[in-house]
Amino acid sequence: MVAAVDPNNSKHSTEKRHFVNQEQHDYDVAVIGFGKAGKTIARKRAEAGDSVVLFEQSPRMYGGTCINVGCVPTKKLLFEAHKTTGSDARARWEEIKEARNALVSTMNEANLDMVEQAGVKVVTARAKFVGAREIEADQQRYRAKTVIINTGASARTLDIPGIDDPRVVDSTGVQFLEQLPKQLLIVGGGPIAMEFASLFISLDVQVRMLDQSPQFGGPFDRDVADAVLEHLQDQGLEFIASADVQRIDADEQLKVHATVDGAERSFDADAVLVAIGRQANTQDLGLEHAGVDVDDRGSVVVDKHLHTSADGVYAVGDVNGGPQFTYISFDDHRVVLDDRWGEGARDTADRVIPTATYIDPPLATVGRNEAQLEREGISFEAKKAKIADIAVMPRPKIVEQTTGMAKFLIGEDDQILGATLWCVDSQEIINTVALAMRVGMTATELGGQIITHPANSEVLNGVLG
């Protein structure tokens, strides 16, 4: 049986970290959740002299989703997997997981030590509101002048028969599969699904992806999505569109039943990964007692300064319904610090947000895509090239990774409206494009800059120069 086992990697226990000063319940700042924005606000306000309490319900989540079950460990798995070839994969699966777990344990410990050394009181218990800026945790009550909701998001699931089988996992559970499956079925087709497909294909696993959407890669331009799909199919991915999963039967193997273009089909698998997006963790927080509103998706409603509907209460990171990226959470902390303790000039409006999907090579974007521009009636020119055809960019040829393409959408005033980079180091290069867009640099100016040689950044010279 291929099942998931999630070990407790933390070296800390609740008892070890429990503080004895129980008579103090009034704080300047209270943070619920140990994610990127919350822990950074907690540390900085403690260093500034405020009394700060931070609540985290699990010692396995000190530091937040990213370092424990999200972007850091998944990229470590990808890195380790890409050092593996063919038959070595199954023998190395335990070693790969151990490398992941060692990194997580180190970062988990470092994050706890970092905030505690700054003077933050960490309470390892589930917290909930019982009144306006009043919180209950571990049978104690805490009051604060400022409260930060930072509880993040968790994987969505399917409400279908068979979903509770231990071989059916989400993006966390799939990282702890006891054995490497021979056949993995992924339900979903977004960036998380794409990254895990790339990971397990590189480990010689037969990967089948069932996506409810009619086409692969919905958020990406059609030509880019088609090229990426062709590349993944060449590596072994089987992609099935317009697939609506109905039930999962469990025997020696799992059998996934789905409606595909109106026809009933079934698929065998050793494990099933459900990767259909994430939802805000707002359940059982007692938000109604604090006067904090949520939208119809369950996300906390905020304005551009991240105020909730309750005075003195902010919501940051994945819980507020914005883009679910760690670096957005980090920027949220800047907005809150400036609004509550600064000049109040910073907000979330008009943020230029780059993205990166860690397939091989990485797929990075910034700005709007063609479909968005067409809906808005904005005229643009598309400048694009295959990476292998860019003569001034020899670095991919040197490292033998010429797969990919680059595409820029340019407005009538030579402004960069959007960009897609699918190439080696695109996750780095896209930040340069985002900066150029934020400061109003034209496409000609960006393409005309002097770049070291040979470098993958020369893609800018090759397509825009």
Side-chain angles (χ1 to χ4, degrees):
M1 176 182 290
V2 178
V5 176
D6 183 355
N8 185 340
N9 295 319
S10 174
K11 298 179 182 177
H12 301 285
S13 67
T14 302
E15 291 75 20
K16 179 180 177 182
R17 291 292 174 175
H18 195 70
F19 284 70
V20 297
N21 184 20
Q22 296 294 341
E23 71 273 9
Q24 174 59 269
H25 303 294
D26 293 321
Y27 288 85
D28 293 313
V29 182
V31 179
I32 306 176
F34 214 134
K36 187 70 169 182
K39 69 186 178 186
T40 312
I41 293 170
R43 176 178 58 81
K44 289 185 176 181
R45 291 315 304 167
E47 290 173 344
D50 284 348
S51 57
V52 183
V53 59
L54 189 157
F55 303 96
E56 175 51 58
Q57 65 179 354
S58 171
R60 289 177 292 181
M61 294 301 289
Y62 292 148
T65 295
C66 179
I67 69 163
N68 289 290
V69 296
C71 37
V72 170
T74 56
K75 305 315 174 280
K76 180 61 173 175
L77 288 172
L78 284 163
F79 173 75
E80 294 292 331
H82 289 153
K83 298 193 299 186
T84 303
T85 57
S87 60
D88 290 340
R90 298 190 183 282
R92 284 204 67 229
W93 180 236
E94 284 302 317
E95 181 183 337
I96 290 169
K97 289 190 296 180
E98 287 172 6
R100 172 225 179 271
N101 294 344
L103 176 61
V104 168
S105 180
T106 298
M107 296 187 72
N108 177 287
E109 172 109 0
N111 271 260
L112 180 61
D113 289 344
M114 179 175 60
V115 296
E116 287 190 335
Q117 288 174 11
V120 177
K121 175 177 179 177
V122 177
V123 176
T124 307
R126 183 167 180 81
K128 64 179 181 179
F129 285 96
V130 292
R133 298 193 305 280
E134 188 170 357
I135 298 163
E136 184 178 86
D138 197 23
Q139 299 181 329
Q140 301 286 326
R141 290 203 173 187
Y142 302 82
R143 294 178 297 272
K145 299 174 185 176
T146 302
V147 178
I148 313 295
I149 302 171
N150 183 53
T151 50
S154 55
R156 295 183 183 276
T157 190
L158 294 168
D159 185 16
I160 60 171
I163 197 68
D164 294 329
D165 189 280
R167 292 166 292 180
V168 181
V169 294
D170 59 17
S171 57
T172 297
V174 75
Q175 300 174 48
F176 302 106
L177 290 174
E178 289 186 32
Q179 301 172 14
L180 194 64
K182 294 180 179 179
Q183 292 180 305
L184 174 68
L185 187 144
I186 300 176
V187 181
I192 293 174
M194 292 167 63
E195 288 189 1
F196 279 109
S198 182
L199 166 66
F200 284 100
I201 287 171
S202 69
L203 291 172
D204 201 30
V205 173
Q206 296 177 24
V207 179
R208 177 181 285 126
M209 182 183 292
L210 272 59
D211 190 3
Q212 196 170 35
S213 299
Q215 294 178 312
F216 175 84
F220 305 104
D221 286 345
R222 192 74 262 133
D223 53 349
V224 175
D226 288 345
V228 171
L229 177 57
E230 182 179 359
H231 174 65
L232 291 174
Q233 288 174 326
D234 288 344
Q235 292 181 315
L237 175 69
E238 181 182 354
F239 176 75
I240 300 171
S242 301
D244 188 11
V245 177
Q246 302 296 318
R247 74 177 194 277
I248 302 172
D249 293 339
D251 205 335
E252 289 188 12
Q253 268 197 317
L254 297 171
K255 187 175 289 291
V256 179
H257 300 272
T259 302
V260 181
D261 287 328
E264 297 295 326
R265 294 183 60 183
S266 61
F267 308 90
D268 292 332
D270 300 309
V272 173
L273 165 61
V274 179
I276 56 173
R278 297 175 66 80
Q279 59 188 2
N281 292 326
T282 54
Q283 303 86 356
D284 302 322
L285 275 178
L287 298 178
E288 66 279 7
H289 300 304
V292 175
D293 294 338
V294 298
D295 62 20
D296 55 5
R297 298 175 301 162
S299 300
V300 177
V301 177
V302 294
D303 64 13
K304 65 180 182 180
H305 294 282
L306 302 176
H307 301 139
T308 70
S309 53
D311 183 47
V313 181
Y314 295 82
V316 294
D318 295 354
V319 76
N320 66 22
Q324 293 182 341
F325 302 115
T326 296
Y327 47 92
I328 296 301
S329 183
F330 186 74
D331 192 60
D332 282 357
H333 108 270
R334 298 186 187 113
V335 173
V336 171
L337 287 180
D338 185 55
D339 183 77
R340 194 66 164 176
W341 296 280
E343 298 178 356
R346 192 167 192 137
D347 60 46
T348 62
D350 302 320
R351 291 197 282 201
V352 179
I353 301 174
T355 74
T357 301
Y358 286 81
I359 56 176
D360 186 26
L363 174 60
T365 69
V366 67
R368 288 167 285 186
N369 60 30
E370 286 188 341
Q372 290 171 320
L373 294 174
E374 289 168 355
R375 284 197 300 268
E376 296 171 24
I378 299 175
S379 299
F380 65 92
E381 174 191 3
K383 293 185 176 181
K384 62 182 181 178
K386 292 182 178 180
I387 298 301
D389 295 339
I390 302 176
V392 299
M393 184 188 176
R395 179 68 180 170
K397 299 178 179 65
I398 294 170
V399 298
E400 300 179 359
Q401 290 182 296
T402 58
T403 299
M405 63 185 295
K407 182 176 182 180
F408 294 85
L409 305 180
I410 312 301
E412 293 179 341
D413 55 359
D414 200 30
Q415 291 298 308
I416 305 166
L417 304 176
T420 300
L421 300 177
W422 178 36
C423 62
V424 179
D425 291 338
S426 66
Q427 80 280 7
E428 303 286 353
I429 307 166
I430 202 68
N431 295 309
T432 299
V433 182
L435 176 61
M437 293 175 64
R438 189 166 68 84
V439 301
M441 183 181 291
T442 67
T444 301
E445 290 171 333
L446 180 60
Q449 66 176 319
I450 298 173
I451 298 173
T452 56
H453 178 82
N456 290 314
S457 295
E458 288 178 294
V459 66
L460 304 175
N461 294 151
V463 182
L464 298 177

